[in-house]
Amino acid sequence: MDLDELRRSALRIHDLYDELNRQERGRVWTREEFMLGFMGDAGDLAKLVLTQEGARTSRPDGRAALEHELADCLWSVLILAHRYGIDLESAFVRTMEELEKTISAWLGE
């Protein structure tokens, strides 16, 4: 699955969440609420990484939980990029090129 397919899949789930929230709460999530949801997922991801590294009590579903949280975080990033009108693919390529130049300069290459 490429980035466009991931984005389309994320948007289908986004639309389903919007419909669920309209039915249950009479409104959809704001961009700020998506960001807060992402922060919660990132916190859960941090705990799972600590578990994987032995710094927290292990869980029987540790690997599956880690995969799930990574996917949740990716979903949030894709949705935030969509909500802010950011071409994530272009931004990623540009940022990686900038980082490569910066790190290479630090290394004296």
Side-chain angles (χ1 to χ4, degrees):
M1 195 176 269
D2 65 18
L3 186 58
D4 282 334
E5 292 170 316
L6 291 172
R7 185 177 12 250
R8 283 192 298 273
S9 179
L11 289 173
R12 279 193 304 276
I13 300 304
H14 170 273
D15 292 346
L16 288 171
Y17 270 128
D18 274 359
E19 184 57 33
L20 178 64
N21 282 320
R22 274 189 204 95
Q23 287 180 14
E24 291 189 351
R25 295 173 189 86
R27 67 178 190 84
V28 298
W29 274 21
T30 64
R31 293 185 295 191
E32 295 89 346
E33 288 168 317
F34 274 106
M35 186 62 218
L36 289 172
F38 174 55
M39 295 305 297
D41 288 339
D44 291 342
L45 177 60
K47 292 173 191 171
L48 291 167
V49 167
L50 290 171
T51 298
Q52 289 291 308
E53 298 304 317
R56 290 178 60 102
T57 304
S58 65
R59 300 170 40 161
D61 67 337
R63 179 71 179 193
L66 180 61
E67 291 173 0
H68 177 89
E69 270 329 305
L70 283 165
D72 274 352
C73 287
L74 178 57
W75 179 82
S76 292
V77 168
L78 290 168
I79 294 306
L80 285 165
H82 168 75
R83 285 295 203 80
Y84 281 96
I86 292 173
D87 178 346
L88 193 55
E89 187 171 2
S90 295
F92 182 84
V93 168
R94 186 174 53 254
T95 300
M96 293 304 106
E97 288 171 352
E98 291 167 1
L99 287 171
E100 184 173 6
K101 287 177 187 172
T102 300
I103 294 167
S104 292
W106 286 339
L107 293 172
E109 295 179 4

